[in-house]
Amino acid sequence: MRDVETRPKKGEWIIVFTILFASLPLILGFALLVISSFSKDMVTNLSLSSFRPTIENWINVFQGKLAITGGIRQNILKITLNTLVVALGVSGIVTLISTLAGYSLSRMKFRGRKLMMLLLLMLHAFPGVALIVGVYLLYRLTFPQEPSFVRLYSFFYVILARAALEIPMSVWLMKGFFDTIPWELEWSGIIDGASRIKVWRQIMLPLIKPGILAVALFGFLAGWQDLIYVRTFLIDQTLATFIEANIEAEYSHMPLIAAAGTLYLLPTIIFFLTAQQLLLQSYSGGIKG
Amino acid sequence: MKGEKLRNLSFFLSPMIIMVGLFYLIPLVFTVYISFTKMRNWNIERYLTEIVGFYNYQRLFHMFQHDPLMRTVLLTTIIFVGITLIINVFGGLLLALGTFFINESSASAIRLLWLLPRMSPIAVYSLVWYYFFHGSNIGTLNSILMKLGVLSQPVPWGQIVPWGAWGIIIFVNGLVGVSFGMIVFTSALNQIPKELVIAARVDGASAWQISRKILVPMMKWHLLYVLTWQFLSLLTTYPHLFLLVQWDLVSRDYGTTLALYVYNTAFGRGEQDQGLAAAAAVLLSIIGIIGGLVTLKVLQFEKMIHEPRGDIE
C-alpha cells in the first residue's frame, strides 16, 4: 500500500535490475563461499572445473580434521559450542536487563529519568575501542588466583562485557515496545493493589513477548558474531577466532574453512528466514554500524 | 509509598546501572589512568603505578607531527570516514527510494539481501571479501577481469597504495553501513502520507521527480540523523578492518584507521604499548563525546523522550 494504484509497471523492472546488478558482488561472494564448502577445491575464480562436488569438508568439519594430511585436529563441535555459550549468555543477560530497565523508563516517573535516557543514547554512540583498554585492565585485576577457574572466568567475563555493549540500544528498543502497550491494562492491576513488580511480571511480560524475542535475537546475533571481545578475553576458541587463526595457517585446507564459515553463517540465515519482519521492524530503532 | 517506589526502582534499574558502571564508567576511568602511566605489554605488576604525566600525549602529538606512519593512519582515517560516510548515506537513500517504488515482495527480498553484511558474522563476511579481492588468480575480481580480457595478470588490489587499499576498506565497510541508512529511510518513507505521492502520480510526475521534490525534502531530519550517527560509528569502527589487515589482504599502513591503531597498539602482535594506545583512545572518546553531544543538540533528541504514562502517584 504505497503508491501501488497509480504506479507504472514498466519502470519497476529497471529499478529491480539496477539494484540486483549493484548487489552482484554481495550475492557472488556469499554464494561462492557456500559452494566452496561443498567442493574439493575453493571455487573463487568462476571456473566450473574447480568445482568438484563432495561433502567431505562437512564430514571433516564435524570430525575436526583441519588438514587433509598431517592429522591436525581441532574439535569444531566444541568450538561451535563455545560460540553458542557466548551467544546465549549475551542474549540472556541483555534480555533480562533491558526488560527490567525498559519497563521503568517507559512507565515510571522519577528524577533523572530523562538524563538517564540521554546518557544511554550517548553510551551507544561511545567508541567501544576507547573502553576496551580499560575493560581489559578490569579483567586482569579481577582475574582469579585459582588456575582451574580461569577458563570459566573468561567465559563469564566475555559474556558480561559483550552484553554491556548491547545494553544501551536494547533498553531503548525495549522501552519502545513497552510504550506501545495501552497502559489501562496495567492500571487496572495497580488499582487492584498489585505491586509494580507483580504487574510487570504477570501483565506486561506476556504482552511484550514479540519485543523480548526481538531483543533476545539481537543479543544472540551480537554474541554469536563477535570477534574482538572473544579474541581479547576468551581463552577458548570460538568460530570467529578459529577462522581468524586458520586463514593464514599453511596447513589449513581452505574448503574446510569455507564449510566452517558456512556453519557459522547458518543461524544468521535461519533468523533471516524465520524472523525477517521482526528484524526489519526493530532495526529501525537505532543501530550502530 | 516513597520507600516502595524506591524499592521498585532499584529492582528495575539496578542491574542496568551495575552493568553500565562496571563496563563503561570504570573502564573509562581506567583508560584515562593508563594513558598517564608507562604501561606496556600488559605488565601490570611493574607499570600500573608508574605515572609519567602527559608523556604519552606528548609522544602522540609528536608522532602526529613527525612520524610518517602516524600521518598515514590519520590520512587513512579521514579518507575512510569521509568517503564511506557518503556511500552509506547516499547508498542507503538510493536503496530506500528504489525499494519504495517497486512491489513489496521484491522490496523486502532486496532489503534482506542488503542486511546480510550487517547480520553475518564478521569473520565470515571478511572471509568472503578475502577471496573476492585476493591478489592472485584465485581472487574472484581478478578472475572476472581476466576472463573479460581487461587484465592479463592478477592484480594485488589491497597492496596498491593508497587507493587500492582504501578502496577495499571503504567498499567492505560501506556495504555494512548502507543497511543502516536504508532501514531508517525506509521507515521514514512509510510515514509520509500516501496521498502526496498518489496526487503527484496522477499529475504525471515520474519516480525521480517524486523523490526529488517530495520524498527527500521530507526526510531532512533522518538524513541528518544518519549522517551524524554514521560519522561517529565509522570513526570508531575497526573489527572489519582488523581482519583485512591481519590477513594481509590490504596494506597494513593504508588499511589502519585511528581506531584500529588503538586496538593494535594495545593488543596487536609485537610490542604492545598500552600507555600510548590509551592516550589515543582518550582522544577518540573526546571526539566521540563532543560528536554525541552535538548530535543530541542538533537533532533535539530530548523531544523523543515523552513523559511516562501510567504512573499514578
Side-chain angles (χ1 to χ4, degrees):
Chain A
M1 251 309 285
R2 291 169 313 179
D3 76 328
V4 236
E5 293 86 355
T6 48
R7 185 192 57 222
K9 278 270 172 232
K10 184 167 58 75
E12 203 176 304
W13 282 107
I14 303 172
I15 297 177
V16 173
F17 184 77
T18 314
I19 295 179
L20 279 183
F21 186 75
S23 327
L24 215 54
L26 202 60
I27 301 171
L28 201 62
F30 278 95
L32 287 179
L33 183 79
V34 177
I35 291 171
S36 296
S37 75
F38 291 103
S39 163
K40 279 201 164 69
D41 299 304
M42 286 302 281
V43 189
T44 53
N45 53 6
L46 296 189
S47 82
L48 283 177
S49 61
S50 53
F51 179 62
R52 288 182 290 149
T54 173
I55 54 162
E56 207 178 51
N57 300 317
W58 284 90
I59 296 170
N60 284 341
V61 157
F62 286 112
Q63 289 178 347
K65 259 207 280 192
L66 256 189
I68 294 182
T69 54
I72 297 165
R73 268 174 188 277
Q74 217 153 5
N75 191 345
I76 304 220
L77 280 185
K78 182 154 183 302
I79 291 175
T80 311
L81 197 69
N82 291 342
T83 322
L84 202 63
V85 167
V86 173
L88 288 176
V90 170
S91 174
I93 288 178
V94 165
T95 312
L96 179 71
I97 291 179
S98 57
T99 339
L100 283 166
Y103 174 77
S104 59
L105 288 174
S106 166
R107 288 299 208 257
M108 294 167 85
K109 226 181 242 176
F110 56 92
R111 272 176 62 190
R113 172 178 169 276
K114 205 166 157 181
L115 184 71
M116 193 177 269
M117 300 203 53
L118 284 177
L119 277 178
L120 277 175
L121 264 182
M122 286 283 288
L123 283 187
H124 184 49
F126 198 80
V129 71
L131 293 170
I132 199 166
V133 179
V135 175
Y136 191 77
L137 182 61
L138 184 69
Y139 175 66
R140 288 287 297 270
L141 291 178
T142 53
F143 221 59
Q145 297 295 319
E146 183 67 37
S148 53
F149 283 131
V150 166
R151 290 169 92 93
L152 196 67
Y153 182 75
S154 82
F155 266 108
F156 179 71
Y157 195 87
V158 82
I159 289 171
L160 281 181
R162 192 61 187 77
L165 285 189
E166 297 301 308
I167 280 176
M169 186 196 108
S170 23
V171 170
W172 263 88
L173 255 176
M174 217 56 210
K175 180 209 168 263
F177 278 110
F178 277 115
D179 283 348
T180 62
I181 307 275
W183 77 278
E184 286 78 6
L185 287 168
E186 58 177 320
W187 183 68
S188 59
I190 294 176
I191 293 295
D192 288 345
S195 72
R196 292 308 282 245
I197 298 171
K198 200 168 172 190
V199 166
W200 171 78
R201 210 184 57 222
Q202 293 189 339
I203 302 178
M204 294 306 267
L205 283 193
L207 289 171
I208 213 81
K209 266 183 197 145
I212 293 177
L213 186 65
V215 169
L217 273 185
F218 285 129
F220 182 89
L221 286 178
W224 178 256
Q225 70 148 305
D226 181 73
L227 168 73
I228 296 294
Y229 270 60
V230 291
R231 183 182 184 280
T232 315
F233 301 105
L234 195 64
I235 292 167
D236 291 80
Q237 238 179 0
T238 66
L239 284 168
T241 44
F242 170 78
I243 292 176
E244 184 217 328
N246 279 291
I247 281 276
E248 298 162 306
E250 291 196 353
Y251 56 78
S252 35
H253 179 52
M254 290 317 295
L256 195 125
I257 307 296
T262 309
L263 176 73
Y264 195 10
L265 195 60
L266 272 183
T268 312
I269 307 274
I270 293 170
F271 285 149
F272 249 35
L273 299 178
T274 52
Q276 40 179 289
Q277 229 29 51
L278 193 69
L279 290 177
L280 282 172
Q281 272 165 22
S282 5
Y283 247 140
S284 47
I287 28 165
K288 208 170 180 174
Chain B
M1 201 63 186
K2 194 113 182 109
E4 195 198 325
K5 187 170 178 179
L6 202 65
R7 217 171 33 245
N8 283 341
L9 274 178
S10 57
F11 172 78
F12 286 118
L13 288 173
S14 53
M16 180 186 81
I17 292 172
I18 291 171
M19 286 291 271
V20 169
L22 266 180
F23 292 103
Y24 285 90
L25 298 183
I26 294 177
L28 194 61
V29 174
F30 277 178
T31 307
V32 175
Y33 176 79
I34 289 177
S35 75
F36 291 110
T37 70
K38 215 175 165 179
M39 183 77 75
R40 52 182 60 246
N41 295 326
W42 286 112
N43 193 338
I44 293 172
E45 289 76 22
R46 181 153 165 214
Y47 292 120
L48 192 59
T49 49
E50 198 168 324
I51 309 261
V52 290
F54 283 94
Y55 174 67
N56 287 320
Y57 291 93
Q58 284 164 357
R59 223 155 36 111
L60 200 62
F61 282 111
H62 188 265
M63 285 168 78
F64 284 154
Q65 284 170 331
H66 301 291
D67 184 353
L69 208 67
M70 191 51 142
R71 298 185 91 126
T72 311
V73 167
L74 283 185
L75 190 64
T76 303
T77 312
I78 293 168
I79 301 277
F80 169 75
V81 172
I83 299 183
T84 318
L85 191 61
I86 294 169
I87 292 179
N88 285 352
V89 175
F90 286 99
L93 189 62
L94 284 177
L95 273 176
L97 285 173
T99 50
F100 182 74
F101 287 112
I102 60 179
N103 66 66
E104 187 52 47
S105 53
S106 321
S108 64
I110 287 171
R111 273 184 226 123
L112 276 178
L113 178 68
W114 282 81
L115 265 177
L116 195 60
R118 175 180 295 280
M119 305 293 287
S120 48
I122 292 168
V124 179
Y125 182 69
S126 305
L127 188 64
V128 166
W129 299 118
Y130 176 78
Y131 279 111
F132 196 83
F133 290 112
H134 202 281
S136 71
N137 51 12
I138 64 159
T140 312
L141 184 60
N142 274 329
S143 91
I144 293 176
L145 292 178
M146 278 159 72
K147 279 207 170 68
L148 290 175
V150 183
L151 295 177
S152 54
Q153 291 258 326
V155 174
W157 300 102
Q159 303 300 333
I160 302 173
V161 292
W163 285 102
W166 285 344
I168 293 179
I169 60 172
I170 288 168
F171 180 86
V172 170
N173 278 272
L175 285 188
V176 180
V178 156
S179 60
F180 177 78
M182 176 184 79
I183 288 158
V184 173
F185 295 141
T186 301
S187 76
L189 284 173
N190 285 334
Q191 282 159 16
I192 292 176
K194 304 294 163 286
E195 292 78 7
L196 290 174
V197 182
I198 294 171
R201 220 20 135 191
V202 170
D203 289 344
S206 68
W208 169 251
Q209 284 167 325
I210 294 174
S211 309
R212 220 173 64 92
K213 303 268 171 155
I214 302 174
L215 302 180
V216 174
M218 293 189 83
M219 289 197 291
K220 277 216 180 88
W221 188 90
H222 297 90
L223 276 167
L224 213 59
Y225 166 65
V226 173
L227 196 73
T228 47
W229 199 259
Q230 284 297 87
F231 171 73
L232 284 177
S233 305
L234 285 170
L235 197 64
T236 58
T237 190
Y238 61 98
H240 296 90
L241 301 179
F242 170 78
L243 284 182
L244 298 179
V245 169
Q246 180 96 338
W247 293 341
D248 282 329
L249 183 68
V250 298
S251 139
R252 175 167 284 266
D253 298 348
Y254 287 89
T256 303
T257 62
L258 198 56
L260 181 59
Y261 178 83
V262 171
Y263 184 79
N264 277 340
T265 309
F267 299 101
R269 297 166 176 168
E271 202 189 9
Q272 302 168 338
D273 191 338
Q274 285 85 31
L276 189 68
V282 170
L283 277 188
L284 264 182
S285 332
I286 292 172
I287 301 175
I289 291 171
I290 294 173
L293 284 174
V294 170
T295 315
L296 293 182
K297 265 278 164 289
V298 170
L299 298 176
Q300 298 177 314
F301 267 116
E302 288 176 47
K303 286 195 184 151
M304 279 169 61
I305 304 174
H306 313 291
E307 280 300 297
R309 293 184 307 165
D311 213 347
I312 36 174
E313 276 93 351

